[in-house]
Amino acid sequence: MPLTIKKARFLTSSIAVSKCPPANRPEYAFIGRSNVGKSSLINTLTNQKTLAKTSVKPGKTRLINHFLIDENWYLVDLPGYGYAQVPKAEREKWEKFIRIYVLERVNLCCLFILVDVRHDALQADLEFMTWVGENQVPFAVLFTKADKLKPEETEMAVGKYRSRLKEIFDPLPPTFITSAIDFRGRNEILEFIEHVNRDFK
Ligand code: GTP
Ligand code: MG
């Protein structure tokens, strides 16, 4: 039975890991380049249109945003990385901030790394995934905006991406095809979360 979210509410925006809510519940964080659709996918999963703030302009999400789901687990919306229009110094600051979060947040059960299904694998994304893997942080790859391609194009693009991942990872991380428009992938992700939640200690 797929899990459905009954209640989702915004908790806090934190400027540092030390300021985040208590690390006593399973946590799933959304990460990826600016504008890839992190906030939109959180709204899709929770069935709320405006829970996480979205924007056509990259760089909308700035802090570590915690949402409490069914009083039981957390979803986290993170700022996007690799946004070229942000000055280099600020970009490096954000990247460091994200890496500290990934390494120090002890209740992080899975990092959802989002990539736009229309784009070829980007070196920056593959390098980030490699770094996450090397640090033994569980992650999954979520392909976003699948509604923008024809089904056969999506299949081709995902197949190509998974081949790239196979060159780096064994076993392959879980992958999900998603869309915030037609809700594709929602049940699969919620089932995955439910499964991982059961093992949380
Ligand atoms: P930052 O917070 O700036 O890092 O961006 P983000 O990754 O949170 O992206 P956001 O959810 O704000 O979405 C960016 C833009 O992409 C918005 O205009 C969304 O409407 C659009 N978008 C997001 N997901 C989808 C999708 O699945 N399909 C389509 N067609 N558009 C999407
Ligand atoms: Mg966002």
Side-chain angles (χ1 to χ4, degrees):
M1 260 295 279
L3 179 147
T4 48
I5 289 175
K6 289 185 204 75
K7 199 172 161 197
R9 64 185 169 97
F10 170 74
L11 272 190
T12 52
S13 288
S14 316
I15 50 159
V17 181
S18 58
K19 302 274 196 295
C20 287
N24 57 356
R25 299 181 160 95
E27 178 157 319
Y28 303 85
F30 286 68
I31 204 163
R33 296 172 76 78
S34 280
N35 217 242
V36 71
K38 300 174 290 295
S39 303
S40 301
L41 201 54
I42 287 179
N43 291 338
T44 298
L45 290 182
T46 55
N47 234 331
Q48 293 196 23
K49 285 197 174 71
T50 54
L51 185 67
K53 293 199 175 62
T54 66
S55 168
V56 286
K57 252 179 69 193
K60 178 73 190 169
T61 308
R62 280 304 171 101
L63 301 161
I64 307 173
N65 298 296
H66 274 81
F67 301 93
L68 181 62
I69 312 300
D70 291 339
E71 310 293 336
N72 207 6
W73 50 282
Y74 299 122
L75 278 178
V76 171
D77 194 13
L78 292 168
Y81 60 80
Y83 178 42
Q85 271 160 272
V86 171
K88 191 162 177 255
E90 194 181 331
R91 220 159 69 207
E92 281 172 359
K93 211 176 87 190
W94 277 115
E95 276 164 28
K96 200 172 147 208
F97 172 76
I98 287 169
R99 283 175 195 249
I100 292 172
Y101 166 81
V102 170
L103 294 180
E104 292 187 357
R105 191 66 177 159
V106 292
N107 59 328
L108 181 63
C109 291
C110 187
L111 190 61
F112 292 140
I113 303 178
L114 277 62
V115 299
D116 190 319
V117 74
R118 296 169 297 172
H119 301 160
D120 282 336
L122 293 163
Q123 200 54 36
D125 283 334
L126 295 176
E127 277 168 17
F128 180 70
M129 289 173 198
T130 304
W131 175 83
V132 172
E134 280 168 359
N135 285 286
Q136 267 112 48
V137 175
F139 72 98
V141 179
L142 272 51
F143 298 98
T144 65
K145 309 193 184 184
D147 58 280
K148 298 237 188 192
L149 293 180
K150 297 194 185 97
E152 59 272 24
E153 291 171 334
T154 301
E155 208 173 302
M156 275 257 287
V158 170
K160 204 169 145 197
Y161 206 109
R162 284 171 58 96
S163 305
R164 280 304 299 279
L165 292 176
K166 262 183 210 146
E167 294 165 14
I168 310 173
F169 303 103
D170 183 21
L172 210 60
T175 59
F176 298 91
I177 297 169
T178 76
S179 163
I181 301 290
D182 62 24
F183 291 3
R184 220 175 305 179
R186 185 175 68 180
N187 287 349
E188 288 84 353
I189 294 168
L190 291 177
E191 270 177 54
F192 175 83
I193 289 173
E194 185 184 48
H195 190 84
V196 178
N197 278 351
R198 273 193 235 126
D199 295 332
F200 183 80
K201 281 177 220 72

